[in-house]
Amino acid sequence: MKNLIRFFAISICVLTFISCDNDNDSNDGPNVTTFTANLSGENEVPANSSAAKGTATLTFNNTTKAFTINVTHNLTTAVAGHIHMGAAGTNGAVIFPFTSAASPITFTSVALTTAQEADLKANLNYVNLHSTAFAGGEIRGQLIKGATTGGGK
């Protein structure tokens, strides 16, 4: 009987520890998926000879279905910036226009539809920045899925 009580006591302690360890509380942060892109003229379709460069980091919240993106670049005449729908090597429609093209760019989306989320997670979105010299786009980078963090999948 004493062994049975010990077993239950130890089991309760272990289960309590495990359940506390996996909590997705505010200290652990939300369940997010990160995407990154390296922007260059070589990635444009068609490619161009621009020496400008940039980076983008998009953080998608799997609970709220919204994302925040931060883009930095060294374009001196940036006139527009967007996230487009399209696979690497293809051009696609603008789905999220940025309100400013000045670096650094920060943009937060509304909740994505199921289709938009699927496209994002399939790496079918890219960042494109336009300038006066390259009206069709000077630098571009495909948003590539990185790590999922937080509590859950």
Side-chain angles (χ1 to χ4, degrees):
M1 180 73 164
K2 287 182 183 180
N3 286 338
L4 187 58
I5 292 172
R6 264 191 221 136
F7 173 78
F8 283 121
I10 291 171
S11 296
I12 289 171
C13 289
V14 169
L15 290 174
T16 301
F17 176 77
I18 290 171
S19 93
C20 290
D21 190 46
N22 286 332
D23 279 348
N24 189 19
D25 59 24
S26 60
N27 294 331
D28 292 331
N31 178 9
V32 298
T33 304
T34 302
F35 300 78
T36 58
N38 291 311
L39 287 66
S40 70
E42 297 166 347
N43 294 333
E44 282 290 341
V45 178
N48 65 52
S49 60
S50 173
K53 299 289 181 197
T55 61
T57 302
L58 183 147
T59 304
F60 178 73
N61 185 310
N62 292 293
T63 304
T64 66
K65 305 300 182 188
F67 68 78
T68 298
I69 189 168
N70 295 297
V71 181
T72 58
H73 63 81
N74 63 358
L75 290 173
T76 56
T77 59
V79 295
H82 334 278
I83 296 175
H84 292 253
M85 165 51 183
T90 65
N91 290 319
V94 172
I95 54 174
F96 297 104
F98 302 143
T99 55
S100 170
S103 184
I105 300 167
T106 299
F107 175 83
T108 301
S109 74
V110 297
L112 273 59
T113 65
T114 302
Q116 289 172 325
E117 179 182 2
D119 291 342
L120 177 65
K121 290 184 175 180
N123 301 324
L124 295 176
N125 292 167
Y126 63 92
V127 175
N128 201 15
L129 299 178
H130 305 260
S131 67
T132 53
F134 295 91
E138 182 163 347
I139 58 175
R140 168 186 169 151
Q142 201 72 25
L143 288 164
I144 304 297
K145 184 176 167 183
T148 299
T149 62
K153 296 184 179 185

